[in-house]
Amino acid sequence: MGGGGGGGAAGFYDAALQRREAMMGKSGPAALVKNFRVFSIACFACIGGVLYGYNQGMFSGVLAMPAFKKHMGEYDPFDDNANQTKKGWLTAILELGAWLGTLLSGFMAEVLSRKYGVLVACLVFMLGVIIQATSISGGHQTILAGRFITGMGVGSLAMIIPIYNSEVAPPEVRGALVALQQLAICFGIMVSFWIDYGTNYIGGTTLETQTDAAWLVPICLQLAPALILFFGMMFMPFSPRWLIHHGREPEARKVLSTLRGLSPDHELVELEFLEIKAQSLFEKRSIAELFPELREQTAWNIFKLQFVAIKKLFQTKAMFRRVIVASVTMFFQQWSGINAVLYYAPQIFKQLGLSGNTTSLLATGVVGIVMFIATVPAVLWIDRVGRKPVLTIGALGMATCHIIIAVIVAKNIDQWETHKAAGWAAVAMVWLFVIHFGYSWGPCAWIIVAEIWPLSTRPYGVALGASSNWMNNFIVGQVTPDMLKAIPYGTYIIFGVLTYMGAAFIWFFVPETKRLTLEEMDIIFGSEGTAQADNERMAEINNEIGLTQFLGGGSATHGAATGSDTGYPAEKEKSEHFTQHV
């Protein structure tokens, strides 16, 4: 079944692709130039990715600033030997808010639209930033509240904007625009580290001289891009896919023609319109079959659907295997220690013997640069080399860096002053660790999570993976300060051993998903028939709305053999937007 159905699906996709290429040309830089209007919209929307990355990286430098510590008391004590549990809450509560924002963002994007969902997320984000700015008088309570609310905005933006970008983009440039989101996040992290390095000098670098502006400026700077995104988004078009899904087809056709710079009756606009309509009908009919009580598109039904659908993933052995792959892959991504480095880099570098807050912030800035550069080639390699080799080699590299750091720390923890070379060697290992993460587990873990699900359950499966990501992100952020204090070199051993286990998990338990059809996924996970049923439903819809005939496919029999990946443009690549999470 895998070979025949998959080949037919590929044939149907090829027919659509060849028809499109005949009119628009192939993918690549030239396609981005031709679709400059869409490219510019996507670049603008990726301000949301910059906000996410900036927020993630900025707070590590703020935590190291004496003027900030002065207002936080026991939540960020001057004494590195003091209780560190509460310090973890200052960082980790953002992830708790993002976890909640992620759970609500699917509902918000579907009920309000992707466009208005972004506006609401921006307002929530800005409210959180404003609350944090009042912590000069409010202390740690306002930072905690502000970061939780900011986290809700970050979580929503990180989910909705990639969906929006994938739905306004034509298929020939969608992959490039998905990758753009990941680069925007890494760019935000990189910029945040260097802004922290600069503002650390405001007033001076000691407790006596440093002013509150040193930490207030990097926190409040977030408002500028958030305001630009909020007001600019008001003038952006609605997602054509959302319009069609909600019965606004004439408006969707008009938006498509504007985005493509073509007349509403142009053949290319008609082709894309029919592809989107087919995917919308497929989703509605899948819901009607799986959850007949939720078939009406009421706000309450849309809210319940994501939770009911995720619950259903646990009810068969074959689906539960996919749940294990998605949730455990995200577990190992976070327990590789990447966010321990991003959140507490200055503290880690200080512990590795870099004297002075300024020097540790400088070393932290290098983390941002190398991570950004390392992420670029991942887009080029992943479809050539495959997921398993890249993830396994990346995990082995990260784990080995951790073990080397642990050995260096164990031998030199009390004599950094006389063994500066050892300290810099450990710092270099942190930089190498970030490089290994950048090309492997950063983007590739999310690709695995997006690819393993049948078409009809993919949105809910990816949401489950996102939930696992944020929750483990929260736990790592919470426990890292205590771990660094209680077991300085043991922290790296724990991260290293867990990452070696992650490499073994990927190699022995996760199938290679490169170029697999949906049917072949079913065979691997033991749920044969799921994709075939999806194929048949999609083929029926293709014939019903005239897409098969439009592509010159001929009879309904041909459509039945070729249906599944008609959903490719709207669904398969749409799912890959989740690679922005670190």
mmCIF file of all heavy atoms in Angstrom, residues 329-346:
data_model
loop_
_atom_site.group_PDB
_atom_site.id
_atom_site.type_symbol
_atom_site.label_atom_id
_atom_site.label_comp_id
_atom_site.label_asym_id
_atom_site.label_seq_id
_atom_site.Cartn_x
_atom_site.Cartn_y
_atom_site.Cartn_z
ATOM 1 N N THR A 329 10.972 13.279 21.937
ATOM 2 C CA THR A 329 11.926 14.080 21.158
ATOM 3 C C THR A 329 12.007 15.497 21.723
ATOM 4 O O THR A 329 13.100 16.063 21.889
ATOM 5 C CB THR A 329 11.521 14.130 19.676
ATOM 6 O OG1 THR A 329 11.547 12.812 19.139
ATOM 7 C CG2 THR A 329 12.479 15.004 18.871
ATOM 8 N N MET A 330 10.857 16.083 22.053
ATOM 9 C CA MET A 330 10.853 17.419 22.648
ATOM 10 C C MET A 330 11.472 17.424 24.051
ATOM 11 O O MET A 330 12.125 18.384 24.448
ATOM 12 C CB MET A 330 9.425 17.953 22.709
ATOM 13 C CG MET A 330 8.895 18.448 21.379
ATOM 14 S SD MET A 330 9.854 19.860 20.761
ATOM 15 C CE MET A 330 10.561 19.164 19.289
ATOM 16 N N PHE A 331 11.258 16.334 24.787
ATOM 17 C CA PHE A 331 11.895 16.201 26.110
ATOM 18 C C PHE A 331 13.413 16.280 25.971
ATOM 19 O O PHE A 331 14.083 17.050 26.670
ATOM 20 C CB PHE A 331 11.479 14.879 26.754
ATOM 21 C CG PHE A 331 12.252 14.529 28.002
ATOM 22 C CD1 PHE A 331 11.855 15.023 29.237
ATOM 23 C CD2 PHE A 331 13.385 13.729 27.934
ATOM 24 C CE1 PHE A 331 12.579 14.710 30.385
ATOM 25 C CE2 PHE A 331 14.113 13.419 29.073
ATOM 26 C CZ PHE A 331 13.703 13.908 30.307
ATOM 27 N N PHE A 332 13.965 15.490 25.046
ATOM 28 C CA PHE A 332 15.416 15.476 24.900
ATOM 29 C C PHE A 332 15.932 16.775 24.289
ATOM 30 O O PHE A 332 17.061 17.187 24.564
ATOM 31 C CB PHE A 332 15.849 14.275 24.052
ATOM 32 C CG PHE A 332 15.831 12.968 24.800
ATOM 33 C CD1 PHE A 332 15.070 11.901 24.352
ATOM 34 C CD2 PHE A 332 16.576 12.817 25.959
ATOM 35 C CE1 PHE A 332 15.053 10.697 25.046
ATOM 36 C CE2 PHE A 332 16.572 11.617 26.665
ATOM 37 C CZ PHE A 332 15.811 10.548 26.210
ATOM 38 N N GLN A 333 15.117 17.441 23.461
ATOM 39 C CA GLN A 333 15.560 18.725 22.921
ATOM 40 C C GLN A 333 15.813 19.717 24.056
ATOM 41 O O GLN A 333 16.830 20.402 24.092
ATOM 42 C CB GLN A 333 14.528 19.299 21.947
ATOM 43 C CG GLN A 333 15.048 20.521 21.201
ATOM 44 C CD GLN A 333 13.963 21.510 20.813
ATOM 45 O OE1 GLN A 333 13.116 21.871 21.617
ATOM 46 N NE2 GLN A 333 13.995 21.952 19.565
ATOM 47 N N GLN A 334 14.874 19.789 24.989
ATOM 48 C CA GLN A 334 15.019 20.748 26.084
ATOM 49 C C GLN A 334 16.067 20.316 27.108
ATOM 50 O O GLN A 334 16.798 21.135 27.650
ATOM 51 C CB GLN A 334 13.668 20.973 26.757
ATOM 52 C CG GLN A 334 12.689 21.765 25.914
ATOM 53 C CD GLN A 334 13.272 23.098 25.477
ATOM 54 O OE1 GLN A 334 13.792 23.854 26.275
ATOM 55 N NE2 GLN A 334 13.188 23.376 24.180
ATOM 56 N N TRP A 335 16.158 19.002 27.364
ATOM 57 C CA TRP A 335 17.121 18.517 28.358
ATOM 58 C C TRP A 335 18.518 18.347 27.778
ATOM 59 O O TRP A 335 19.423 17.835 28.442
ATOM 60 C CB TRP A 335 16.619 17.233 29.008
ATOM 61 C CG TRP A 335 15.560 17.545 30.019
ATOM 62 C CD1 TRP A 335 14.217 17.530 29.830
ATOM 63 C CD2 TRP A 335 15.764 17.980 31.363
ATOM 64 N NE1 TRP A 335 13.557 17.924 30.969
ATOM 65 C CE2 TRP A 335 14.490 18.203 31.933
ATOM 66 C CE3 TRP A 335 16.883 18.202 32.153
ATOM 67 C CZ2 TRP A 335 14.315 18.638 33.246
ATOM 68 C CZ3 TRP A 335 16.718 18.633 33.462
ATOM 69 C CH2 TRP A 335 15.445 18.845 33.988
ATOM 70 N N SER A 336 18.707 18.791 26.527
ATOM 71 C CA SER A 336 20.069 18.923 26.016
ATOM 72 C C SER A 336 20.793 20.055 26.749
ATOM 73 O O SER A 336 22.020 20.147 26.716
ATOM 74 C CB SER A 336 20.056 19.218 24.519
ATOM 75 O OG SER A 336 19.531 20.524 24.270
ATOM 76 N N GLY A 337 20.000 20.937 27.395
ATOM 77 C CA GLY A 337 20.578 22.043 28.149
ATOM 78 C C GLY A 337 20.667 23.334 27.361
ATOM 79 O O GLY A 337 21.227 24.317 27.841
ATOM 80 N N ILE A 338 20.066 23.390 26.163
ATOM 81 C CA ILE A 338 20.197 24.596 25.346
ATOM 82 C C ILE A 338 19.627 25.821 26.037
ATOM 83 O O ILE A 338 20.235 26.895 26.039
ATOM 84 C CB ILE A 338 19.541 24.396 23.953
ATOM 85 C CG1 ILE A 338 19.719 25.653 23.089
ATOM 86 C CG2 ILE A 338 18.057 24.044 24.078
ATOM 87 C CD1 ILE A 338 21.170 25.995 22.791
ATOM 88 N N ASN A 339 18.469 25.690 26.648
ATOM 89 C CA ASN A 339 17.883 26.873 27.276
ATOM 90 C C ASN A 339 18.521 27.203 28.615
ATOM 91 O O ASN A 339 18.439 28.341 29.074
ATOM 92 C CB ASN A 339 16.365 26.710 27.393
ATOM 93 C CG ASN A 339 15.674 27.016 26.081
ATOM 94 O OD1 ASN A 339 16.031 27.981 25.404
ATOM 95 N ND2 ASN A 339 14.721 26.198 25.675
ATOM 96 N N ALA A 340 19.174 26.225 29.226
ATOM 97 C CA ALA A 340 20.002 26.546 30.393
ATOM 98 C C ALA A 340 21.109 27.505 29.974
ATOM 99 O O ALA A 340 21.432 28.470 30.680
ATOM 100 C CB ALA A 340 20.599 25.265 30.984
ATOM 101 N N VAL A 341 21.680 27.264 28.793
ATOM 102 C CA VAL A 341 22.735 28.148 28.267
ATOM 103 C C VAL A 341 22.157 29.509 27.875
ATOM 104 O O VAL A 341 22.704 30.555 28.226
ATOM 105 C CB VAL A 341 23.429 27.489 27.055
ATOM 106 C CG1 VAL A 341 24.381 28.474 26.374
ATOM 107 C CG2 VAL A 341 24.191 26.243 27.483
ATOM 108 N N LEU A 342 21.021 29.503 27.161
ATOM 109 C CA LEU A 342 20.455 30.776 26.703
ATOM 110 C C LEU A 342 19.987 31.640 27.863
ATOM 111 O O LEU A 342 20.115 32.861 27.830
ATOM 112 C CB LEU A 342 19.296 30.510 25.738
ATOM 113 C CG LEU A 342 19.658 29.858 24.406
ATOM 114 C CD1 LEU A 342 18.405 29.666 23.560
ATOM 115 C CD2 LEU A 342 20.681 30.683 23.640
ATOM 116 N N TYR A 343 19.406 31.016 28.896
ATOM 117 C CA TYR A 343 18.848 31.779 30.012
ATOM 118 C C TYR A 343 19.907 32.197 31.032
ATOM 119 O O TYR A 343 19.782 33.242 31.656
ATOM 120 C CB TYR A 343 17.772 30.968 30.730
ATOM 121 C CG TYR A 343 16.552 30.666 29.898
ATOM 122 C CD1 TYR A 343 15.856 29.479 30.060
ATOM 123 C CD2 TYR A 343 16.086 31.561 28.941
ATOM 124 C CE1 TYR A 343 14.741 29.186 29.292
ATOM 125 C CE2 TYR A 343 14.980 31.286 28.178
ATOM 126 C CZ TYR A 343 14.303 30.094 28.357
ATOM 127 O OH TYR A 343 13.201 29.805 27.603
ATOM 128 N N TYR A 344 20.914 31.365 31.218
ATOM 129 C CA TYR A 344 21.867 31.617 32.307
ATOM 130 C C TYR A 344 23.309 31.703 31.807
ATOM 131 O O TYR A 344 24.240 31.458 32.560
ATOM 132 C CB TYR A 344 21.744 30.512 33.369
ATOM 133 C CG TYR A 344 20.355 30.407 33.954
ATOM 134 C CD1 TYR A 344 19.518 29.347 33.634
ATOM 135 C CD2 TYR A 344 19.857 31.401 34.813
ATOM 136 C CE1 TYR A 344 18.233 29.251 34.165
ATOM 137 C CE2 TYR A 344 18.579 31.313 35.336
ATOM 138 C CZ TYR A 344 17.769 30.236 35.003
ATOM 139 O OH TYR A 344 16.499 30.155 35.526
ATOM 140 N N ALA A 345 23.507 32.077 30.546
ATOM 141 C CA ALA A 345 24.851 32.104 29.965
ATOM 142 C C ALA A 345 25.843 32.953 30.775
ATOM 143 O O ALA A 345 26.946 32.487 31.072
ATOM 144 C CB ALA A 345 24.789 32.581 28.516
ATOM 145 N N PRO A 346 25.489 34.197 31.171
ATOM 146 C CA PRO A 346 26.465 34.973 31.943
ATOM 147 C C PRO A 346 26.858 34.286 33.251
ATOM 148 O O PRO A 346 28.032 34.293 33.637
ATOM 149 C CB PRO A 346 25.729 36.295 32.209
ATOM 150 C CG PRO A 346 24.738 36.396 31.110
ATOM 151 C CD PRO A 346 24.290 34.984 30.855
#
